[in-house]
Amino acid sequence: SYELTQPPSVSVSPGQTASITCSGDKLRNKYIFWYQQKPGQSPVLVIYEDSKRPSGIPERFSGSNSGNTATLTISGTQAMDEADYYCQAWDSSTYVFGTGTKVTVL
Amino acid sequence: EVQLVESGGGLIQPGGSLKLSCAASGFSVNGNYMGWVRQAPGKGLEWVSVIYGGGTTYYADSVKGRFTISRDNSKNTLYLQMTSLRAEDTAVYYCARGQQTGYSGYYFDYWGQGTLVTVSS
């Protein structure tokens, strides 16, 4: 079965840039989606089709997908961005979620 | 405004059955992709099942043969019938609206607040 691997945690200082990677076989051939989940809340879509932002998502969230790695970048990270982030792809009629990354804003 | 409201969770003994509901508003479940995603306590997201617009259904291997996804267009509601429940099925179950873009662009754009299912004796 297809797998997506993320680092367990990323730490960032307020105002700095946080980069969260998502690795998978031939990932560049798939669309990647990113979800943000704050404690006790439901997931929220923050990036779709590798790099597009849904309405209402701040411009500081951006995404890219190249080779076997997709990246979610948070520029000018704010305290409110502290959350778990999951990448997701679709493979053989199944939805595959990444292992998740906890972003801590120190 | 799109809203998804799950219900039906609770404490159930191993081997038991439970049916989850997801009431949708702001759009029609008929013709839309709809799915269930679960999250065990302290764990990550795990896709469970999806029903496509034409009615085709798919399941994760972990629930295949035990769970059934369905919808009632007249009630604009999505369901998940769960049988032969195991301790490892304990999780918050989220209902989500699916979208498709391109060949491999299947994802979920709106999520409900979730309902907790606890399987324990």
Side-chain angles (χ1 to χ4, degrees):
Chain A
S1 61
Y2 196 76
E3 295 182 353
L4 294 173
T5 301
Q6 301 178 233
S9 63
V10 167
S11 297
V12 60
S13 300
Q16 299 304 303
T17 297
S19 295
I20 306 162
T21 58
C22 173
S23 299
D25 186 43
K26 299 179 182 177
L27 203 55
R28 66 183 178 278
N29 294 334
K30 304 180 184 297
Y31 276 132
I32 287 297
F33 308 89
W34 290 93
Y35 303 89
Q36 175 195 67
Q37 186 180 33
K38 296 182 179 180
Q41 297 185 20
S42 306
V44 172
L45 180 71
V46 294
I47 292 289
Y48 68 101
E49 290 183 29
D50 296 339
S51 59
K52 299 179 180 179
R53 282 178 292 104
S55 175
I57 300 303
E59 292 183 5
R60 63 180 180 273
F61 288 89
S62 63
S64 64
N65 185 6
S66 178
N68 291 328
T69 302
T71 303
L72 173 68
T73 302
I74 311 173
S75 304
T77 306
Q78 300 183 9
M80 68 174 64
D81 301 328
E82 189 162 283
D84 293 327
Y85 292 84
Y86 296 90
C87 59
Q88 179 249 308
W90 184 84
D91 180 82
S92 301
S93 300
T94 64
Y95 294 72
V96 181
F97 287 96
T99 49
T101 299
K102 181 177 182 60
V103 171
T104 301
V105 183
L106 299 171
Chain B
E1 180 189 8
V2 172
Q3 283 196 322
L4 298 166
V5 180
E6 302 95 334
S7 60
L11 176 62
I12 187 76
Q13 291 189 340
S17 298
L18 205 60
K19 188 173 185 177
L20 306 183
S21 300
C22 171
S25 59
F27 74 103
S28 174
V29 299
N30 182 23
N32 266 287
Y33 298 168
M34 296 293 299
W36 291 95
V37 177
R38 69 184 181 183
Q39 187 171 36
K43 302 298 184 181
L45 301 174
E46 178 190 17
W47 171 71
V48 173
S49 180
V50 67
I51 182 168
Y52 287 161
T56 302
T57 59
Y58 292 96
Y59 300 90
D61 288 342
S62 58
V63 306
K64 199 172 296 182
R66 299 188 299 123
F67 290 11
T68 302
I69 190 172
S70 63
R71 64 188 177 210
D72 184 331
N73 297 331
S74 67
K75 296 182 178 179
N76 212 31
T77 298
L78 179 73
Y79 301 100
L80 185 68
Q81 176 70 56
M82 305 184 294
T83 64
S84 301
L85 283 162
R86 308 165 181 168
E88 54 264 37
D89 295 319
T90 294
V92 173
Y93 285 73
Y94 295 102
C95 161
R97 188 180 78 169
Q99 292 288 355
Q100 180 201 357
T101 176
Y103 172 71
S104 68
Y106 291 81
Y107 64 104
F108 298 108
D109 62 349
Y110 286 95
W111 299 61
Q113 85 289 349
T115 186
L116 176 62
V117 173
T118 303
V119 184
S120 175
S121 55

